[in-house]
Amino acid sequence: MARQILIIKMDKNSEEIHKIMEEFLIKNGYKNKKYNGEEVLVKNAVPGFTNPQYMKIYIKDGVLKVVAWIKAFGNEFGVDDDFVACVPKKELKGIINSIIILFNATEDEVINRNTIDKEIADVDDLKEAKYELNPDMKTAAIVSLVLGIIMFLCLFIPFPVCLAFILTISGIVIGATGIKSSLKALAIIGIVLCSIDTLIYLCGTISAMWIQFL
């Protein structure tokens, strides 16, 4: 098991480094997460294409230390370890290179290597940086899907039309939030189902009103 370690020494204060990294993490979709008892930052996997990417950040007196790894087959991997088969390290390597470019760091300012877990525990006197990133809105994606299914089933039983409209439209709005989560596919399905349900309820209401008018 190994992790990638990146250290950049630069002419910036800790607040500047912290702000730049926070914007970078948000832009690249990292979230706060508990991982084997550690507080980490994670970029969730795209099933079939990438593996989860994990990161810990330490900052002090113009020094940025990034510890990064991916999880695959139950093990941790950095970029430079010997194991290469089937492990999608390309994206993680791109993230590491992007951080180097972000700070316009030269070769003399950068240490970038693979390290074992025991070495990672020794972070010198650097202070771990904490980021309050937006939570993963997986719950919204699930709620949207569940509402879409339930309201479709309610088409076959007596159900208050006004309440049906409220719930289906709520499912669409909630699903729009869930699209930003790691369960984007479920959110999209939920939005589609809720949209279909809304149209069916609307058509049913218009038909009933037309029949009464006649």
Side-chain angles (χ1 to χ4, degrees), residues 38-40 55-59 123 126-130:
E38 296 180 78
E39 293 283 349
V40 301
M55 189 181 293
K56 297 189 78 171
I57 297 170
Y58 303 86
I59 300 171
V123 292
L126 299 183
K127 183 179 180 182
E128 185 173 358
K130 298 294 184 181

Side-chain angles (χ1 to χ4, degrees), residues 22-45:
E22 184 172 45
E23 291 176 356
F24 177 83
L25 293 167
I26 292 172
K27 181 180 177 181
N28 285 277
Y30 280 86
K31 308 292 181 182
N32 300 102
K33 187 176 181 178
K34 281 276 190 182
Y35 171 83
N36 294 339
E38 296 180 78
E39 293 283 349
V40 301
L41 300 161
V42 62
K43 184 176 183 180
N44 288 307

Side-chain angles (χ1 to χ4, degrees), residues 155-214:
L155 289 168
F156 304 99
I157 62 173
F159 195 84
V161 176
C162 290
L163 180 58
F165 279 125
I166 292 172
L167 291 175
T168 54
I169 293 172
S170 296
I172 294 171
V173 173
I174 293 170
T177 303
I179 282 181
K180 300 175 183 178
S181 76
S182 56
L183 297 180
K184 180 179 178 180
L186 293 186
I188 293 173
I189 295 171
I191 291 171
V192 171
L193 283 174
C194 287
S195 299
I196 292 172
D197 295 340
T198 302
L199 287 173
I200 293 174
Y201 279 111
L202 181 60
C203 291
T205 302
I206 293 173
S207 298
M209 291 174 65
W210 180 253
I211 290 172
Q212 286 183 354
F213 177 76
L214 293 175

Side-chain angles (χ1 to χ4, degrees), residues 11-27:
D11 185 21
K12 293 184 184 296
N13 61 45
S14 296
E15 289 184 4
E16 286 181 284
I17 298 171
H18 192 287
K19 184 177 180 181
I20 292 170
M21 283 305 299
E22 184 172 45
E23 291 176 356
F24 177 83
L25 293 167
I26 292 172
K27 181 180 177 181

Side-chain angles (χ1 to χ4, degrees), residues 5-147:
I5 182 170
L6 170 68
I7 298 174
I8 304 177
K9 298 179 181 179
M10 67 193 88
D11 185 21
K12 293 184 184 296
N13 61 45
S14 296
E15 289 184 4
E16 286 181 284
I17 298 171
H18 192 287
K19 184 177 180 181
I20 292 170
M21 283 305 299
E22 184 172 45
E23 291 176 356
F24 177 83
L25 293 167
I26 292 172
K27 181 180 177 181
N28 285 277
Y30 280 86
K31 308 292 181 182
N32 300 102
K33 187 176 181 178
K34 281 276 190 182
Y35 171 83
N36 294 339
E38 296 180 78
E39 293 283 349
V40 301
L41 300 161
V42 62
K43 184 176 183 180
N44 288 307
V46 177
F49 295 95
T50 63
N51 288 67
Q53 297 176 33
Y54 299 92
M55 189 181 293
K56 297 189 78 171
I57 297 170
Y58 303 86
I59 300 171
K60 186 179 180 182
D61 299 334
V63 179
L64 167 67
K65 181 173 183 176
V66 178
V67 179
W69 67 97
I70 59 173
K71 184 80 175 285
F73 312 119
N75 293 317
E76 296 175 0
F77 299 95
V79 173
D80 301 324
D81 56 78
D82 295 331
F83 188 88
V84 294
C86 301
V87 181
K89 302 176 187 176
K90 185 176 180 180
E91 191 173 7
L92 177 61
K93 188 171 183 178
I95 288 291
I96 295 294
N97 290 337
S98 295
I99 294 172
I100 295 173
I101 294 170
L102 189 64
F103 290 99
N104 296 314
T106 65
E107 288 186 10
D108 294 335
E109 297 172 322
V110 174
I111 297 173
N112 183 18
R113 63 183 175 83
N114 202 257
T115 183
I116 61 174
D117 293 348
K118 186 176 180 181
E119 291 177 288
I120 290 168
D122 180 14
V123 292
D124 304 315
D125 60 346
L126 299 183
K127 183 179 180 182
E128 185 173 358
K130 298 294 184 181
Y131 299 92
E132 294 300 324
L133 304 180
N134 295 326
D136 194 343
M137 301 300 291
K138 291 189 288 188
T139 302
I142 295 170
V143 169
S144 178
L145 177 64
V146 170
L147 278 174

